[in-house]
Amino acid sequence: MTATPSQPYTPDGAGAESAAEAGAVGAGGTEGGGRRSQAPSHPPRGSARRGSARRGPLRDALALVTVVTLSLPLLALTVPAAFAGGGTRRWFGGRGESQRAEAQAAKDAAAAAFYELDTAQRDLRISIETIVAVDSSPAARRAVSDFEAIGHRIDEVSHQYISAVDAHDLDRDDLESSVAARARTELTAAKTELGKAKQDLERFQQGLGPLLDKAETQLARLAPAVERARQTLLAASNALDSVRAAGLKADDLAARLATLGPELTKLNQGAGRHGVPETLQRADRVLRDAEAVRAEAEQLPERAAETDRRLVSLRTRAQALTTRTSQVEPVLSELRRRFSAACWQDLQHVPDQAAENVRQAEAKLKEAQQARAEQRWPDATSLLSTVRALLNTTDEAVSAAGDRLQRLNAVSKDPQQEIERTRFAIRDAQRLAMAGRQTPEQRHARPLDESVARLDRAVASLEGRHPDYWHFLTETEAVRTTVARVVAQIREERGQGA
């Protein structure tokens, strides 16, 4: 509101007119929506002009005093309203405004430091959560406790900052310089503490490097590992379907594949429920087991064909050994007739043992055939391995009888060939033992000397009416074995020395 002063009395009204004009100017034009009132450009006519002419200079002086006197109260009312209106600050500068500006700058700097610290803490919390999700080691647990301790420190400095902000209203019009200075000091101290806390946080984050790298590596492995396990499981299922379409049951493979169903369910539930390390281990296990099922399923048709081939081959071999077993008895008869008992005594059981082995092999073949028909592949494979072992033993025994007769016939006609063969081996070893030295090593010379004596005794055993040719052959073979061992020892020692 604009106050309207009362008009003083004048004898002829001229003072009133002049006062009205002065009041219009002093009011600052507050009437009429804030528009400034314009004073008349020409003085009023009539009695005022005539009075002015009569009084002269004295009238002008009185009018001027009246205008000034009336304008001062109006100016006193108008000026405070102009400064206080609209919530604006004081127009006066000086030290008070400088203190306010410095305090506001300190407040802005502290706010920036608070924001940076809060952002760094949120980022670090994500890193800690990553480590906790993957790692349960003592180092990881210690990192969590250290982060909590730093969090308490951050809470303290944040409270200090917030308290400093709330304690001072820097936008007040009547803010005193001392209050602004105190606000600047407290906000600057809060900013300093916020900066120190951020440095502690950064140092702590640098120490988390190895743990975080390990955690991120495992997390990077997680999704691909789970996906590979799923794809391998799907491939195993498809391979099993193809095998069944070919007429093969593969019940054992189907059972093994069924056991992986619950594991797949846990994989689909995710690491958030079962943990990252456990999920990675489960994915690797599912991948390994599913891959084994897939590989066996894909190999099953070839395995069935191989089983059929082995059945035919072993059956043919068993039949051939049956024929050969029947020929052992004539060989033994000739051995008995021409050589001493020591030459053939150990072969007496061959015909009966060979016949028994063949009978067992044929029985196992029938069981293997049944297992093949029922598609019990592990049983069929095991039975066929047993058949092959029986037939190998029988083959060796039957062959031993014929080989014995052949070797005895040869040595009985010319034992000298066997003697020379053995002596040559001994002499060759002796030359090697003497190479580069005046006397041989005792550990080499002793077994060679014993071999010479053993050969002489074997040759002497051939004298008589019915010599034991088989003993002679076994002795010469044993001598050559001993000599070969000495030669290998000498070469190994010299090779190491070189």
Side-chain angles (χ1 to χ4, degrees), residues 38-319:
Q38 299 291 331
S41 57
H42 300 284
R45 292 185 175 89
S47 60
R49 178 180 299 177
R50 289 190 301 269
S52 177
R54 288 193 303 267
R55 292 173 178 84
L58 179 60
R59 173 62 185 271
D60 294 338
L62 290 174
L64 179 60
V65 170
T66 303
V67 169
V68 172
T69 302
L70 292 176
S71 298
L72 287 176
L74 291 175
L75 183 62
L77 292 174
T78 303
V79 170
F83 280 92
T88 57
R89 297 175 183 173
R90 285 185 270 183
W91 289 357
F92 304 110
R95 180 165 177 78
E97 287 304 310
S98 176
Q99 293 286 357
R100 183 199 300 270
E102 292 176 358
Q104 185 64 46
K107 179 180 178 180
D108 295 340
F114 177 79
Y115 175 77
E116 292 176 359
L117 177 60
D118 183 67
T119 302
Q121 185 182 21
R122 286 199 304 269
D123 294 342
L124 186 56
R125 181 176 288 109
I126 295 174
S127 300
I128 290 293
E129 292 173 354
T130 301
I131 293 173
V132 171
V134 174
D135 195 350
S136 60
S137 64
R141 292 194 295 269
R142 185 168 56 253
V144 173
S145 62
D146 292 345
F147 178 71
E148 292 177 353
I150 293 179
H152 294 319
R153 168 64 178 155
I154 292 175
D155 291 342
E156 293 176 359
V157 298
S158 298
H159 179 71
Q160 177 184 353
Y161 160 73
I162 294 172
S163 299
V165 171
D166 292 342
H168 306 288
D169 183 7
L170 301 182
D171 293 329
R172 292 177 53 188
D173 292 331
D174 57 348
L175 181 67
E176 298 179 359
S177 298
S178 60
V179 175
R182 185 167 60 253
R184 183 194 62 185
T185 301
E186 294 179 3
L187 289 169
T188 301
K191 172 185 174 296
T192 301
E193 294 301 319
L194 290 170
K196 292 179 180 179
K198 184 172 182 291
Q199 292 176 357
D200 295 341
L201 201 66
E202 291 174 347
R203 283 193 295 268
F204 175 73
Q205 186 173 14
Q206 292 175 358
L208 289 180
L211 288 175
L212 186 59
D213 291 343
K214 177 182 176 182
E216 290 177 346
T217 299
Q218 291 195 3
L219 286 176
R221 287 180 50 208
L222 182 61
V226 172
E227 184 61 24
R228 285 195 301 269
R230 290 172 179 163
Q231 294 300 324
T232 305
L233 198 59
L234 178 61
S237 179
N238 293 336
L240 192 58
D241 292 340
S242 300
V243 166
R244 287 174 169 173
L248 300 174
K249 294 187 297 184
D251 293 339
D252 57 332
L253 295 180
R256 288 164 55 187
L257 193 61
T259 60
L260 299 179
E263 297 296 309
L264 178 61
T265 300
K266 292 179 180 179
L267 285 179
N268 291 333
Q269 289 173 347
R273 180 170 180 178
H274 300 285
V276 174
E278 293 78 5
T279 302
L280 283 173
Q281 294 175 4
R282 181 173 291 109
D284 292 340
R285 184 167 59 254
V286 170
L287 175 66
R288 183 175 59 253
D289 295 345
E291 178 62 23
V293 171
R294 183 200 63 79
E296 292 185 29
E298 291 180 350
Q299 295 172 1
L300 195 54
E302 178 60 27
R303 186 177 185 182
E306 178 63 22
T307 300
D308 293 336
R309 287 194 294 269
R310 290 182 65 187
L311 281 169
V312 173
S313 175
L314 291 175
R315 188 177 293 112
T316 301
R317 187 179 177 190
Q319 294 172 354

Side-chain angles (χ1 to χ4, degrees), residues 485-497:
R485 186 166 57 249
V486 173
V487 170
Q489 182 181 4
I490 295 172
R491 289 176 175 171
E492 180 179 1
E493 291 174 357
R494 294 182 181 178
Q496 292 176 352

